[in-house]
Amino acid sequence: ASHNIYQGIDYAKEQNFGVLAYTPHRKFCFEQEFSQYAESKDILLIPGIEIEIGKKHIVILNCDKEAENIKSFEDVANYKKRNPNILILAPHPYVFSSKSLKSDFLKNIGLFDAVEMTVFSNSVFNFNKRAEIEAKKYGKPFIATSDTHFLKDISRGYALINVGEKTIEAVLDAVKKGDFQN
């Protein structure tokens, strides 16, 4: 990506976003000044990380630097027990990629609080169909995200989340309850 977090926040503001999750790959790069800058733009910034187990991606929101040490699904479960205020998202579980969870998704379904509706689907390859079916079957919210690597992609997928107050806790609680529209 050829932008920094401040440019991302500015662009999100231009696109009328009120909440943004910052989830760099493999590194927890969150600084309090990022939150303060976002707040100055009336955006709630949620810290996060996209970890890898093997090569398979998992997104953790509202985590801390300790999340970088997660190396197994058992580590995810233990981290979740120690940090109940996080949200664990299964990103793009069935996309044709070594980075997708595929069979590990259902084997570890209990770890996930929500399932991503990926923007990588199209009319030829609908990667969301099976993910949505499995999400419904297991009572997991199915939420649209942009998986932004380039700023222009930020509006490709998003959710309108219903919250009374714009706090991380309220946003994650609403997502876990499925109180949003894609």
Side-chain angles (χ1 to χ4, degrees), residues 57-59 87-93 101 105 109 112-117 131:
H57 289 177
I58 295 176
V59 172
L87 183 140
I88 300 178
L89 176 70
H92 47 72
L101 289 161
F105 172 53
I109 192 73
F112 300 107
D113 298 303
V115 180
E116 180 191 46
M117 181 177 133

Side-chain angles (χ1 to χ4, degrees), residues 4 14 20 22-23 25 28 31 40 47 49 60-61 71 76 88 90 99 119-120 122 133 136 146 149 156 159 165:
N4 64 37
E14 287 174 26
L20 193 62
Y22 180 50
T23 59
H25 287 253
F28 182 80
E31 301 290 337
S40 78
I49 188 171
I60 305 175
L61 299 182
K71 303 292 181 234
V76 174
I88 300 178
K99 297 177 185 323
V119 295
F120 300 119
N122 58 49
I133 289 167
K136 280 187 175 137
S146 64
H149 290 244
R156 289 193 313 171
E165 56 178 344

Side-chain angles (χ1 to χ4, degrees), residues 13 18-19 21 28 60 62 70 73 88-89 91 116 120 131 151 160 162:
K13 178 65 178 175
V19 177
F28 182 80
I60 305 175
N62 200 29
I70 295 172
F73 289 102
I88 300 178
L89 176 70
E116 180 191 46
F120 300 119
L151 290 180
L160 301 174
N162 302 314

Side-chain angles (χ1 to χ4, degrees), residues 50 55-57 90-103 105 115-122 125-131 142 147:
E50 188 163 17
K55 290 186 187 285
K56 298 169 187 292
H57 289 177
H92 47 72
Y94 294 114
V95 171
F96 295 145
S97 166
S98 62
K99 297 177 185 323
S100 294
L101 289 161
K102 296 185 184 84
S103 64
F105 172 53
V115 180
E116 180 191 46
M117 181 177 133
T118 182
V119 295
F120 300 119
S121 271
N122 58 49
F125 298 107
N126 185 345
F127 300 116
N128 286 319
K129 187 175 183 179
R130 182 172 175 201
F142 188 61
D147 199 343

